[in-house]
Amino acid sequence: MIKYSNGKSYSPKQIKKTEDKKTVSLKRHLSSANRGMDLEEDINASNEYYRERDLCLITKRPTPINIVKVDYSKGAIITNAYFEKQSTTDYNGVYKGRYIDFEAKQTKSKTSFPLANISKHQIEHLKKVLKQGGIAFFIIEFVLRDEVYLLDAKYVIDCYENGDRKSIPYEKFVEVGHKIKRGYAPRLDYLPVIEEIYGKN
């Protein structure tokens, strides 16, 4: 036991317990805060895994940037720019000779996915993909449930344009969607789901 000049005692065990509690609390907070923030990262890592094994070639579309100012005195460095609103979807590519196009979304609701999260431009784009015979779908994550589903674009488009609700209930994902398995490599193994749904078409 060590005593300070003010008479208070110092106990290493007590401080260690306090630190342990803080560490556990911090870990829980970070886990909760970061959950759902890495959907895009998981898809990108999965796409890389598929590409390296020649299973498919799917890439993320870059977000268009509008350049305002360039500093040529330092070797053409962009000093002022802003992101333009993306009017299409997040990902596109080729699988077994067929064109694939999809959008990745998240929701923190446990009960439904808000259709307001989808833009009209994305719906129109996916309708054109379907018209040309391409494969189109949504990958949607329920963050608080830690579940990811693949939902066919035709179903989502119908809900968006003809549905009487402003959201798709979670139960519909379970009923008509396809749950994507999480793993280590690939992180989100969505290719077997594509094969199951669209492989025979």
Side-chain angles (χ1 to χ4, degrees):
M1 180 76 67
I2 301 172
K3 288 194 175 182
Y4 293 107
S5 58
N6 61 6
K8 290 186 177 180
S9 60
Y10 162 76
S11 173
K13 289 184 180 180
Q14 288 177 358
I15 289 181
K16 188 176 187 305
K17 286 180 181 178
T18 304
E19 287 176 348
D20 286 347
K21 286 179 181 178
K22 285 182 178 179
T23 302
V24 170
S25 177
L26 179 62
K27 284 181 179 178
R28 284 177 182 167
H29 172 73
L30 290 175
S31 174
S32 175
N34 291 333
R35 192 167 27 182
M37 297 298 288
D38 56 355
L39 175 62
E40 184 178 297
E41 182 184 332
D42 286 347
I43 294 174
N44 292 344
S46 301
N47 289 342
E48 182 66 16
Y49 175 91
Y50 294 147
R51 185 191 66 79
E52 288 176 350
R53 288 156 181 78
D54 291 325
L55 297 173
C56 67
L57 182 62
I58 298 174
T59 57
K60 188 180 188 312
R61 284 190 176 95
T63 304
I65 297 176
N66 194 321
I67 300 172
V68 178
K69 189 176 181 181
V70 179
D71 186 353
Y72 291 100
S73 66
K74 297 179 181 179
I77 296 175
I78 299 171
T79 57
N80 193 355
Y82 61 89
F83 291 108
E84 292 182 355
K85 188 175 181 181
Q86 191 167 328
S87 60
T88 55
T89 50
D90 288 329
Y91 296 90
N92 70 330
V94 182
Y95 172 60
K96 290 187 175 180
R98 292 193 65 183
Y99 177 76
I100 287 180
D101 203 302
F102 68 93
E103 175 72 9
K105 296 287 187 184
Q106 299 168 317
T107 178
K108 289 184 179 179
S109 169
K110 281 189 172 184
T111 59
S112 64
F113 172 76
L115 290 169
N117 288 0
I118 303 171
S119 72
K120 182 66 175 175
H121 292 298
Q122 290 170 334
I123 291 294
E124 293 302 322
H125 173 75
L126 290 174
K127 284 168 71 174
K128 291 180 185 297
V129 171
L130 292 171
K131 190 174 181 179
Q132 295 298 324
I135 295 172
F137 54 87
F138 286 81
I139 288 181
I140 297 174
E141 178 180 29
F142 282 82
V143 176
L144 299 181
R145 290 182 178 272
D146 194 23
E147 294 177 359
V148 183
Y149 290 87
L150 187 151
L151 210 56
D152 184 69
K154 290 178 184 176
Y155 179 80
V156 178
I157 291 168
D158 184 57
C159 291
Y160 190 92
E161 295 185 334
N162 306 313
D164 54 358
R165 291 176 57 100
K166 293 183 179 180
S167 63
I168 302 175
Y170 169 77
E171 289 75 20
K172 285 296 180 181
F173 283 84
V174 177
E175 181 184 338
V176 303
H178 300 264
K179 195 172 184 179
I180 299 174
K181 187 186 298 183
R182 286 192 184 274
Y184 175 71
R187 294 188 197 175
L188 274 179
D189 198 10
Y190 67 88
L191 211 54
V193 179
I194 293 176
E195 182 65 32
E196 178 188 344
I197 304 171
Y198 308 105
K200 297 178 182 179
N201 296 344

